[in-house]
Amino acid sequence: MTVTVRPVSSEAELDAWVRFPRTRIYPPASPWVPPLDRDVTRLLDRGANPFFQHGEATPLLAYGASGEVMGRILAHVYHPHNQRHDERTSFFGFFECQDDQEVATALVRAAAACGAGWDCDTLRGPYNLTAMQEMGVLVDGFQHAPAVDQTYTPPYYPRLLAGAGLRQTFPHTTYRLDDVRTVDVGGLLGERHRILTVERRLRVRTARMRDFDRELETLRVLLNESFAELSFFVPLTTEELAFQVGAYRAFLDPSLLLVAEMDGVPRGFVLAVPDFNPLLKRLKGYLDARRVASVVPDIGGWLWRRDACLVIQGVERRLQGQGIMRVLHAHLLRNLRWRRYRALSVTWIGEDNPRSAASVEAFGAKPCHRLTLFENAISALT
């Protein structure tokens, strides 16, 4: 079979690129949740996505001999990453492919060629688009549906990517607590947490939604400081965080966005959101009047049985390990029960971050999905 990979060059090709996984990869019974077409298109919009102030991206489609689309990939480079980590790395993301090694190899080679054109020497991915968004492919946990902001991919993707010359790197794991009511919230806190709250005047408050932009900036500053030493992290700009959170804003529950303060100064935070993936699954990628009307009967049930997802959390580095995150988790779990949430998922935690893993395991969360990135030198791929 002859496979041709070409950059997207028209609106029709972009539409095919966006819709490809829904039409060719994931059957209706798959746990995969189709993102809204408009959200994927928005990510590639150079005028809307602040990523393009510091990065470049090329969507690519793989065609079979008869002209049918057989796979897609996004080749991209984020210059702040290379400046911060002293690398010359390009990335690939949004990898979706039929179970065909020739197609997968052609897609990876095309992405590597784009990287070489950007004067990079390494290809790594999948990133959709950065380490602060969805990333990786599943290697275990295929039976579990993803929560919002979690990745789901077919079981054969690791084999195809390895067959294309890439090797696994940066394993990471998602977590899930099936029933928040089973947690002894009081038992999570001990004497050192009492000292924090009494002697060091630690207080936890919910988000001030009337001053949302300022709250978001508080979160950004804490996030950048607390994540500074983690692998692949690049500090977020105000515009980048606003763009990412913008997709969630209509779904935010202020009782799940918590800030820990000492003497009125923010020192840590957790951000959880309602898991709206069950509704997205019903929308099937479209947001129009007919689709919305079709899910209206489900909204009441979703509100009654809804789950939440802990998207991100952080504590100032100099205060990490002192119990602030445990206090935040206790408040989060109390609020989840008060607001009648059922379960809590946690987006990925890297295996190089045992402290964060221990913090969620402490309240009973168990590993759910295991994922990995892939990388290799561009010279070995082209």
Side-chain angles (χ1 to χ4, degrees):
M1 179 181 68
T2 301
V3 178
T4 303
V5 178
R6 300 196 303 268
V8 166
S9 60
S10 68
E11 288 189 12
E13 289 179 343
L14 179 59
D15 185 65
W17 190 94
V18 169
R19 296 170 183 259
F20 172 75
R22 185 171 68 247
T23 58
R24 301 298 297 274
I25 302 300
Y26 301 98
S30 168
W32 179 72
V33 177
L36 294 175
D37 289 353
R38 72 173 193 179
D39 287 345
V40 179
T41 303
R42 178 172 169 263
L43 282 170
L44 301 181
D45 186 339
R46 295 176 180 274
N49 190 345
F51 168 90
F52 291 102
Q53 296 175 11
H54 311 285
E56 303 170 63
T58 302
L60 301 153
L61 284 171
Y63 297 89
S66 62
E68 74 278 20
V69 176
M70 301 191 69
R72 77 171 191 191
I73 201 168
L74 183 74
H76 51 100
V77 61
Y78 190 53
H79 301 300
H81 171 95
N82 289 330
Q83 294 162 4
R84 181 177 180 84
H85 296 286
D86 193 24
E87 293 183 353
R88 291 165 52 205
T89 298
S90 65
F91 302 94
F92 69 94
F94 295 95
F95 173 80
E96 303 285 1
C97 185
Q98 295 185 13
D99 191 359
D100 187 301
Q101 188 62 63
E102 185 179 356
V103 176
T105 300
L107 285 166
V108 169
R109 287 179 177 173
C114 289
W118 291 317
D119 195 31
C120 294
D121 58 19
T122 302
L123 180 69
R124 183 181 301 137
Y127 285 93
N128 302 343
L129 282 161
T130 71
M132 294 306 296
Q133 295 165 289
E134 294 179 3
M135 69 181 209
V137 295
L138 254 64
V139 295
D140 191 25
F142 299 98
Q143 71 276 25
H144 302 301
V148 64
D149 212 35
Q150 292 182 349
T151 299
Y152 188 89
T153 55
Y156 61 84
Y157 277 12
R159 168 171 50 83
L160 289 185
L161 292 172
L166 297 166
R167 58 176 181 267
Q168 291 189 22
T169 185
F170 195 72
H172 49 290
T173 304
T174 71
Y175 290 80
R176 180 176 172 86
L177 172 66
D178 287 328
D179 189 344
V180 299
R181 296 170 301 177
T182 64
V183 182
D184 177 9
V185 176
L188 290 174
L189 303 178
E191 179 61 18
R192 68 170 181 158
H193 306 105
R194 187 197 66 80
I195 293 172
L196 271 174
T197 56
V198 176
E199 297 183 11
R200 302 193 63 182
R201 297 181 294 278
L202 178 72
R203 296 291 181 269
V204 175
R205 64 170 177 82
T206 57
R208 297 167 180 150
M209 300 304 289
R210 292 183 179 179
D211 200 4
F212 184 75
D213 290 341
R214 181 175 294 180
E215 290 287 68
L216 202 58
E217 182 63 11
T218 296
L219 185 152
R220 185 188 72 86
V221 171
L222 282 170
L223 185 155
N224 286 344
E225 202 285 329
S226 62
F227 278 37
E229 296 179 352
L230 295 184
S231 299
F232 306 144
F233 178 72
V234 178
L236 286 171
T237 66
T238 298
E239 295 78 15
E240 287 169 336
L241 184 60
F243 180 85
Q244 291 186 31
V245 174
Y248 297 125
R249 186 162 183 171
F251 292 92
L252 288 178
D253 181 341
S255 67
L256 308 186
L257 201 175
L258 304 176
V259 179
E261 296 180 336
M262 285 183 172
D263 293 324
V265 179
R267 302 299 188 187
F269 72 96
V270 294
L271 171 58
V273 299
D275 181 15
F276 48 86
N277 264 4
L279 298 183
L280 280 182
K281 183 82 169 176
R282 290 292 307 274
L283 289 171
K284 300 179 180 178
Y286 301 96
L287 190 61
D288 54 34
R290 183 177 65 85
R291 294 286 184 185
V292 171
S294 73
V295 304
V296 166
D298 298 327
I299 291 176
W302 174 71
L303 289 170
W304 182 253
R305 299 186 304 273
R306 61 186 172 168
D307 299 342
C309 184
L310 177 52
V311 176
I312 198 165
Q313 60 185 6
V315 171
E316 281 189 4
R317 279 175 292 166
R318 69 181 182 86
L319 296 173
Q320 289 175 2
Q322 297 189 23
I324 294 175
M325 187 55 68
R326 182 72 65 88
V327 174
L328 279 164
H329 284 163
H331 280 263
L332 175 63
L333 289 161
R334 286 193 187 102
N335 287 0
L336 287 167
R337 292 164 69 164
W338 166 58
R339 297 280 288 163
R340 296 184 178 179
Y341 286 87
R342 180 182 55 179
L344 177 66
S345 296
V346 182
T347 53
W348 65 265
I349 297 174
E351 289 190 8
D352 65 343
N353 187 10
R355 180 173 287 168
S356 289
S359 73
V360 299
E361 290 171 348
F363 61 72
K366 305 294 184 185
C368 186
H369 307 101
R370 299 190 186 276
L371 305 99
T372 186
L373 295 176
F374 282 83
E375 71 174 18
N376 205 350
I378 286 176
S379 60
L381 301 171
T382 54

